[in-house]
Amino acid sequence: MKTKIAIVGAGFAGAVLARELAESGNYDIHVFDARNHVAGNCHTKRDEETGVMIHEYGPHIFHTSREDVWDYVNRYGKFGQYVNRVKAVTARGVFSLPINLLTINQFFGKKMTPPEARDFVGSLGDRTITEPKSFEDQALKFLGREFYENFFYGYTKKQWGVEPSELPASILQRLPVRFNYDDNYYASKYQGIPVDGYTAIVEKILDHDDIKVSVGARFTADMKSSYAHTFYSGPMDGYFGFKLGRLQYRSLVFEKFVESGDYQGNPVINYCEESVPYTRISEHKNFTPWEQHDQTVCFREYSKLADENDTPYYPLRLQGDKELLMKYVDLADQEQGLTFIGRLGTYRYLDMHMVIGESLDLAKQLLQTKLEDWPKFSQRPA
Ligand code: UDP
């Protein structure tokens, strides 16, 4: 008899874990998703009007430096060559992002070499900040006020809905600063976009005799008793019926428009000024440069605080959220036969590759551990 396992959420966290457990031959796995599709917020679908592959919940570019993660996703789908190059519209013109030697030289009207630029940017930084605690500290210390105000202040305020001084430095640390002309948005070793979209990959991962998938099926806490163990990748506060209050998330709103030809000449253009209401425009056919389309589909992206009916995207993680989180962690610790996984389950700002890596690592750990000793979290939230 195989051990019955429930996995809630058919995004990468749940799908990869389901597959890895199923491969052992010891488990009978039922994956539930409240939405009517798999792949969570990575869901892709061809646009009916134009045939362009759409990232329904906003641009998802796959990148990782973990070879096992890259090999894993490539086993389930072909990845087209893609390097993310972002442009930023600022009050002083259009520049290359992440900040690199071209950005620095053009923004300040100079012709510096890498060492000159390094010294110059070093001289812009605020030396009075020794230990940067906030996003703002981090920007002022390493880049100085002009870069901060033109590239980061407005965008970040729109994206997160709070002053950057209230946000952790770790958000800015996601972006590299380069003293050469490399304008690759990511510093990862591998990067690409799946030729048939992310949903096709997740469907393939879930395609196993010992995995049953139910979409449009909401899992409720009372269903847990039918399974030896449940993995939950939905919001942790949601599992507990929000009984202690709600963890805050940012949600996104997309304004779709169709044009002919080439609308903006790049997949993603950020709008850094506070006065422009959206954060960025993405033109999805540019994510698959190997495809030809006469028409083009674009999305203006707006950020808002998620209310009860919105899709949660980014965990806000303000001080109050972290305190509430710890109370939910205490509740989770008292549960038996339940593990929280993924971005929503652990309330962390995770990219796809991180979630996949964590599910691969967790599966390895589970397969070597007695069911009674399985952990409460893929990674303990902090
Ligand atoms: N950011 C910014 N200006 C930009 C791009 C990014 O201020 O033009 C800030 C913003 O706060 C964002 C953070 O840097 O949340 C990290 O950017 P990243 O592109 O990693 O965010 P993602 O969209 O991938 O979540």
Side-chain angles (χ1 to χ4, degrees), residues 50-317:
T50 60
V52 172
M53 186 66 88
I54 301 297
H55 301 198
E56 288 268 297
Y57 301 89
H60 280 75
I61 295 128
F62 199 89
H63 63 100
T64 182
S65 292
R66 261 182 75 162
E67 198 172 340
D68 61 335
V69 170
W70 184 238
D71 287 348
Y72 189 86
V73 290
N74 277 273
R75 222 185 297 151
Y76 294 101
K78 187 171 178 303
F79 277 70
Q81 262 194 20
Y82 179 85
V83 174
N84 200 30
R85 301 184 202 282
V86 175
K87 300 290 173 272
V89 177
T90 76
R92 286 186 18 192
V94 183
F95 297 97
S96 167
L97 263 192
I99 290 182
N100 63 72
L101 192 48
L102 188 64
T103 324
I104 301 164
N105 274 330
Q106 290 186 332
F107 188 70
F108 289 101
K110 292 186 181 288
K111 298 172 184 166
M112 293 179 283
T113 62
E116 286 166 354
R118 196 180 283 277
D119 286 350
F120 177 73
V121 173
S123 75
L124 302 175
D126 183 340
R127 279 154 212 226
T128 63
I129 302 168
T130 45
E131 261 187 58
K133 290 204 174 56
S134 68
F135 183 109
E136 182 170 276
D137 283 355
Q138 179 80 10
L140 292 177
K141 178 174 166 65
F142 292 105
L143 295 166
R145 188 158 291 280
E146 268 185 280
F147 271 138
Y148 172 55
E149 285 180 350
N150 281 280
F151 288 85
F152 300 108
Y153 178 78
Y155 188 99
T156 298
K157 211 170 157 196
K158 289 188 289 183
Q159 165 83 359
W160 294 96
V162 293
E163 287 295 324
S165 54
E166 291 178 60
L167 294 167
S170 57
I171 296 181
L172 184 59
Q173 285 159 357
R174 289 170 56 87
L175 297 184
V177 175
R178 302 210 184 91
F179 297 100
N180 58 30
Y181 288 102
D182 179 3
D183 61 352
N184 184 346
Y185 200 70
Y186 302 116
S188 304
K189 201 163 157 194
Y190 309 103
Q191 190 171 168
I193 298 265
V195 169
D196 296 317
Y198 291 101
T199 298
I201 291 187
V202 175
E203 279 167 356
K204 240 178 160 178
I205 294 173
L206 289 167
D207 182 15
H208 187 284
D209 286 347
D210 293 340
I211 302 176
K212 180 180 164 191
V213 181
S214 300
V215 291
R218 188 169 286 283
F219 185 92
T220 47
D222 57 297
M223 292 157 75
K224 182 172 147 264
S225 57
S226 310
Y227 299 90
H229 198 93
T230 297
F231 294 91
Y232 196 85
S233 72
M236 194 195 307
D237 52 351
Y239 179 84
F240 294 108
F242 306 103
K243 65 180 172 194
L244 305 177
R246 281 180 179 268
L247 294 168
Q248 297 189 96
Y249 280 93
R250 297 298 290 175
S251 189
L252 299 176
V253 175
F254 298 98
E255 194 175 271
K256 179 182 174 188
F257 58 98
V258 174
E259 297 275 337
S260 58
D262 188 6
Y263 176 72
Q264 63 178 12
N266 206 50
V268 179
I269 298 193
N270 289 0
Y271 287 81
C272 300
E273 289 164 275
E274 201 182 349
S275 56
V276 178
Y278 41 88
T279 51
R280 55 185 181 180
I281 298 180
S282 44
E283 183 169 11
H284 289 217
K285 77 173 176 185
N286 292 334
F287 291 124
T288 53
W290 50 87
E291 291 185 9
Q292 290 295 322
H293 299 277
D294 295 336
Q295 286 180 294
T296 191
V297 193
C298 301
F299 295 87
R300 285 187 199 94
E301 189 172 321
Y302 300 81
S303 171
K304 68 184 285 260
L305 190 68
D307 69 28
E308 291 174 25
N309 303 313
D310 293 323
T311 304
Y313 283 80
Y314 298 89
L316 193 46
R317 295 185 59 88

Side-chain angles (χ1 to χ4, degrees), residues 33-44:
D33 203 297
R35 296 181 189 170
N36 61 7
H37 60 75
V38 301
N41 279 9
C42 311
H43 176 52
T44 44

